[in-house]
Amino acid sequence: MIDTAILMKAYRLMSQVKVMAETYEANRTICKYVHSTSRGHEAIQLATTFHLQAHDFVSPYYRDESLILGMGFTPYQQMLQLLAKGDDIFTGGREYYSHPNYKGDDRPTIIHQSSATGMQAIPTTGLAQGIQYLEHHLSEKLKRGNKNELPVIICSLGDASITEGEVSEAFQFAVLKQLPIIYLIQDNNWGISVSAEEARAMNAFEFAAGFKGLNRIQVDGSDFEASYSVMKEVCDFVRRERKPYLVHAQVPLLGHHTSGVRKEFYRSDEDWAKHLAHDPNPKLRKKLQERGVSENELLEIEKEASEFIADQFTKAVAAPEPDPATVSDHVFVPTPITEEKGQRAPAGAEKIIMVDAALFAIREIMEKHPEALLYGQDVGKRLGGVFREAATLADQFGEHRVFNTAIQEAYVVGSCVGMSAVGLKPIVEVQFADYIYPGFNQLASEVSKSCYLSCGKFPVSMILRVPIGAYGGGGPYHSGCVETTVLSIKGIKVAYPSNAADMKGLMKAAYYDPNPVVMLEHKGLYWSKVPGTEDAKTPEPSADYILPFGKANIVVKASDDAIDNGESCVVITYGMGVYWAKAAAKKFNKQIEVVDLRTLYPLDEELVFERVKAHGKCLVLTEEQQNNSFAEALAGRISKSCFKSLDAPVEVLGALNLPAVPMNMGLEQAMLPGAEKVAALLKRMLNA
């Protein structure tokens, strides 16, 4: 039998939650930001927290205020987030209610997660993946409370989220690797206004049967005693056996979906009555009475809850608003890499191709840093990447550090959030730029926002390698350029090296940068097989060579006379564009300067603007389809900043505005800019 003291503690917290919901409803003009409450879900949430230890990890979802309260956070702390106040300890007024993140030794760690339905499943599974790696290979870095008790990871989800494909990716990886994670599914039979009957063919418990190796159990989540017993059994099992578990808890929904989507909009009186009959609060109250707790004691608990919550709410309302001057804080955490160091071209060094530069950089990183892992599709021992960009790495470092994943771009990208949170540094790949889109959701919603919305507590330190670009008949799904799409996401850094030395130096800088980095690697430059790209081979830089982001490079210089006479033009470009521009420049008498951006964010605007002002004429050259591209946006910024120095409008040249790169190599060439088209445009610009 569960100790009555535990039931009393649960009832005190449950009473507070009830009053919190009533307070928010009674003060709708004050509680103006969209929020959900946990009314109906209290029992399973509180029962879960009573079995957590300080070295555990929890990812709540947006209805988990009771979970947060049970972990020891005060109503006042939660209310500061509800009201988006400046003293909100979680996000400084930037996030919704019940969107905590926490990093400390006194209670479980909570990584940042978004409101996007089911999106926390992949990052939290990645966290469990990271914990498993630490247990097996770097146990000295594993945060523990009790040496004999390993951490568990709780991923809380609403049942409607189970229909999301990314949740299935998480389940698949959890059972494949047998990770120590508990998926707590709270099923209230609603997904906003969509009923369970409308939206799904089975509930989460039934769905879980399809994932071999996923232990599962059901419980009446409105019954605190039953929930407490089940969660004890499950937490003890996962702590001991280190295997995944799914808990399906049936709960009533006793509030609105959110404050903005109210129950009267879509729920019938009959449905409401059915849910109200399972209210956890009176259920627990009745059990306490059966245990001999007097009516007066229960009334006193309820009175204390009312007074306490009223006081907490008054203080929260009076708390200061965020300082608007802080709005741009925490987009990134500072990187230690600010200067170019090491030998770029050591005496006697042999020339290497770009694909080897990346391989050698990662090898040197992994030799020095046991927390570095490399994974993605086909990067493992048998193949070493479809471009052989990971060849021999699994042989050298083992399949626990270099391994294949399923065709799950979302998991590959999103798992980095959890891996990074436990101190690992994932280097991951998608096979082609065209296939980044399944991972785009995680990149935009989780990876890029984590640092900003956690006020710097959880930057995602990762490298995402993306082979990009067209050559040799790659066709519509292996030739695309995605830099504009990637650059539309704020909170990530983007590199685009054009030669081996830059590749190695930028890869090292990306590794030591504590923020997320996307490395766009032109597959047409990997081996210098494309005519005119021989210069992509360079002497191999030294092992300590490192190249900071945000530093462009002048790769072709114009003569001083041409510049002084107003007979020159600067080409701003990157990637394959560097070689088209260099080839075109040979047709002119030292009139063309070529600037290789090297990183697209951060961008070396200082050098770009300086060179444009010196020449008065500028061409921005890209391989991407031109309309609405990064190149056009950059041209606009150049025009604004250099307006008084321009002798002519800034020109942009990119690929034709087609939906895909055609397979036929003749059609491919017709679509792309190429050296001849660049030279023709430069001639018109110089003669204008």
Side-chain angles (χ1 to χ4, degrees):
M1 181 179 287
I2 300 170
D3 194 314
T4 301
I6 293 173
L7 302 187
M8 291 287 280
K9 178 183 177 183
Y11 191 68
R12 287 190 182 91
L13 293 172
M14 209 176 277
S15 297
Q16 291 177 20
V17 169
K18 183 173 183 291
V19 179
M20 288 161 70
E22 292 168 349
T23 301
Y24 304 161
E25 185 68 10
N27 293 273
R28 288 173 60 187
T29 55
I30 296 172
C31 305
K32 58 188 176 183
Y33 300 109
V34 173
H35 59 272
S36 297
T37 74
S38 60
R39 281 291 287 123
H41 294 231
E42 304 98 317
I44 186 62
Q45 291 182 21
L46 292 172
T48 299
T49 64
F50 286 8
H51 299 294
L52 295 178
Q53 300 178 17
H55 58 288
D56 292 334
F57 298 83
V58 178
S59 284
Y61 90 117
Y62 57 79
R63 202 177 295 284
D64 276 349
E65 66 181 352
S66 292
L67 193 77
I68 300 163
L69 196 67
M71 290 173 66
F73 296 101
T74 65
Y76 174 71
Q77 289 171 325
Q78 294 200 65
M79 291 169 181
L80 290 175
Q81 189 171 57
L82 171 84
L83 302 174
K85 295 289 189 171
D87 293 335
D88 162 26
I89 66 166
F90 304 126
T91 67
R94 298 175 178 190
E95 260 283 24
Y96 298 96
Y97 185 55
S98 290
H99 286 65
N101 61 83
Y102 186 76
K103 196 174 189 178
D105 294 328
D106 59 334
R107 64 193 70 180
T109 297
I110 308 173
I111 62 173
H112 173 263
Q113 58 275 308
S114 73
S115 277
T117 304
M119 287 288 287
Q120 71 270 36
I122 285 177
T124 312
T125 306
L127 196 156
Q129 180 186 352
I131 289 295
Q132 185 186 72
Y133 180 81
L134 293 179
E135 284 178 39
H136 294 170
H137 306 289
L138 292 174
S139 58
E140 71 279 3
K141 294 192 175 186
L142 188 62
K143 175 187 169 186
R144 298 187 186 186
N146 182 321
K147 290 183 179 179
N148 298 317
E149 294 195 339
L150 292 166
V152 298
I153 296 92
I154 304 283
C155 181
S156 179
L157 298 158
D159 194 73
S161 69
I162 303 304
T163 57
E164 282 280 3
E166 292 189 9
V167 175
S168 294
E169 289 192 21
F171 288 178
Q172 164 71 18
F173 203 91
V175 297
L176 179 67
K177 301 295 184 180
Q178 287 293 284
L179 301 178
I181 187 168
I182 300 166
Y183 298 104
L184 173 61
I185 314 301
Q186 301 174 57
D187 185 359
N188 60 33
N189 284 293
W190 285 102
I192 309 183
S193 67
V194 181
S195 68
E197 291 75 17
E198 289 177 277
R200 66 191 190 203
M202 65 201 78
N203 65 32
F205 179 78
E206 295 160 337
F207 185 66
F211 292 88
K212 185 179 180 181
L214 181 55
N215 300 282
R216 61 192 179 121
I217 194 169
Q218 288 184 297
V219 66
D220 178 355
S222 68
D223 183 327
F224 177 80
E225 280 191 297
S227 297
Y228 183 91
S229 297
V230 163
M231 292 312 298
K232 181 180 189 323
E233 174 189 338
V234 171
C235 288
D236 287 350
F237 175 88
V238 175
R239 256 185 234 291
R240 183 179 65 251
E241 301 295 332
R242 317 310 285 153
K243 295 178 180 179
Y245 226 116
L246 182 141
V247 177
H248 177 242
Q250 287 280 2
V251 291
L253 178 60
L254 299 182
H256 309 289
H257 168 68
T258 65
S259 55
V261 182
R262 304 181 64 76
K263 63 179 184 287
E264 56 267 23
F265 295 172
Y266 64 92
R267 295 177 68 181
S268 66
D269 291 342
E270 181 183 2
D271 173 77
W272 178 247
K274 189 187 300 181
H275 281 247
L276 199 59
H278 294 281
D279 188 338
N281 188 290
K283 279 188 177 183
L284 182 54
R285 196 180 199 277
K286 182 180 179 182
K287 287 187 177 182
L288 285 169
Q289 288 175 321
E290 292 170 354
R291 293 272 190 110
V293 179
S294 70
E295 179 69 12
N296 285 340
E297 284 181 274
L298 294 171
L299 290 172
E300 183 61 26
I301 288 172
E302 293 157 9
K303 179 185 176 186
E304 287 174 0
S306 293
E307 293 173 351
F308 177 57
I309 296 305
D311 178 66
Q312 297 267 285
F313 187 70
T314 299
K315 289 178 179 176
V317 171
E321 297 291 318
D323 181 354
T326 66
V327 69
S328 296
D329 292 352
H330 307 298
V331 176
F332 298 108
V333 292
T335 176
I337 308 304
T338 57
E339 296 179 6
E340 186 172 3
K341 293 182 180 179
Q343 292 182 286
R344 181 177 175 88
E350 291 187 9
K351 283 190 174 184
I352 59 171
I353 55 178
M354 274 186 67
V355 73
D356 283 348
L359 174 67
F360 298 163
I362 293 172
R363 176 181 295 153
E364 290 167 359
I365 287 167
M366 296 187 77
E367 286 173 340
K368 192 173 181 180
H369 300 285
E371 65 275 15
L373 307 176
L374 175 67
Y375 57 95
Q377 296 163 28
D378 296 303
V379 303
K381 191 171 182 177
R382 292 188 193 90
L383 187 61
V386 294
F387 299 104
R388 305 294 288 154
E389 73 280 6
T392 73
L393 291 178
D395 285 322
Q396 182 173 353
F397 299 107
E399 294 180 272
H400 62 292
R401 292 186 66 191
V402 181
F403 55 89
N404 293 322
T405 65
I407 303 171
Q408 295 181 335
E409 288 85 1
Y411 188 86
V412 168
V413 174
S415 61
C416 295
V417 177
M419 297 280 270
S420 174
V422 297
L424 299 175
K425 177 78 177 198
I427 304 169
V428 298
E429 296 189 14
V430 297
Q431 282 190 345
F432 294 91
D434 308 78
Y435 301 142
I436 198 173
Y437 298 105
F440 196 77
N441 200 10
Q442 287 288 331
L443 193 63
S445 296
E446 308 299 328
V447 171
S448 69
K449 293 179 172 62
S450 184
C451 185
Y452 182 69
L453 294 179
S454 69
C455 294
K457 292 192 288 294
F458 290 101
V460 181
S461 186
M462 63 170 286
I463 300 173
L464 173 58
R465 299 184 63 189
V466 183
I468 194 169
Y471 89 102
Y477 303 106
H478 298 82
S479 308
C481 288
V482 297
E483 55 263 37
T484 296
T485 306
V486 172
L487 288 163
S488 70
I489 308 172
K490 313 311 171 191
I492 61 175
K493 298 183 180 182
V494 181
Y496 203 141
S498 68
N499 59 70
D502 288 350
M503 172 74 88
K504 189 171 183 183
L506 290 171
M507 189 71 77
K508 292 289 185 75
Y511 183 81
Y512 292 110
D513 197 313
N515 302 288
V517 174
V518 176
M519 293 285 295
L520 301 176
E521 306 173 14
H522 200 294
K523 62 184 192 292
L525 300 177
Y526 266 156
W527 299 286
S528 292
K529 288 183 177 179
V530 177
T533 63
E534 184 68 21
D535 287 350
K537 300 177 184 177
T538 70
E540 182 184 0
S542 60
D544 62 346
Y545 179 66
I546 196 160
L547 180 63
F549 279 45
K551 301 293 182 183
N553 187 32
I554 300 173
V555 294
V556 174
K557 294 183 178 180
S559 69
D560 291 339
D561 287 345
I563 295 173
D564 292 342
N565 294 332
E567 297 173 344
S568 66
C569 178
V570 61
V571 181
I572 309 298
T573 189
Y574 55 93
M576 187 62 78
V578 171
Y579 298 95
W580 294 330
K582 288 172 73 172
K586 293 177 181 178
K587 299 178 181 294
F588 300 88
N589 184 25
K590 296 184 179 180
Q591 294 172 278
I592 306 302
E593 183 171 295
V594 180
V595 174
D596 181 357
L597 293 175
R598 301 201 287 199
T599 63
L600 308 186
Y601 193 90
L603 185 70
D604 191 351
E605 290 187 346
E606 183 179 354
L607 181 65
V608 169
F609 295 161
E610 174 196 309
R611 301 318 300 156
V612 171
K613 289 175 182 177
H615 291 271
K617 298 184 184 71
C618 174
L619 167 63
V620 182
L621 174 62
T622 179
E623 184 177 328
E624 271 197 303
Q625 292 91 326
Q626 183 172 325
N627 282 9
N628 305 313
S629 64
F630 158 71
E632 285 196 335
L634 177 56
R637 301 212 308 268
I638 291 170
S639 296
K640 181 177 180 180
S641 296
C642 305
F643 180 75
K644 293 182 179 179
S645 302
L646 290 172
D647 298 328
V650 177
E651 294 282 355
V652 179
L653 179 62
L656 300 181
N657 297 300
L658 307 176
V661 179
M663 178 73 77
N664 178 273
M665 285 188 278
L667 295 177
E668 177 188 88
Q669 289 304 309
M671 177 186 181
L672 299 176
E676 294 299 325
K677 294 178 186 177
V678 174
L681 179 53
L682 288 172
K683 184 177 181 180
R684 290 198 300 272
M685 293 174 68
L686 290 172
N687 291 336

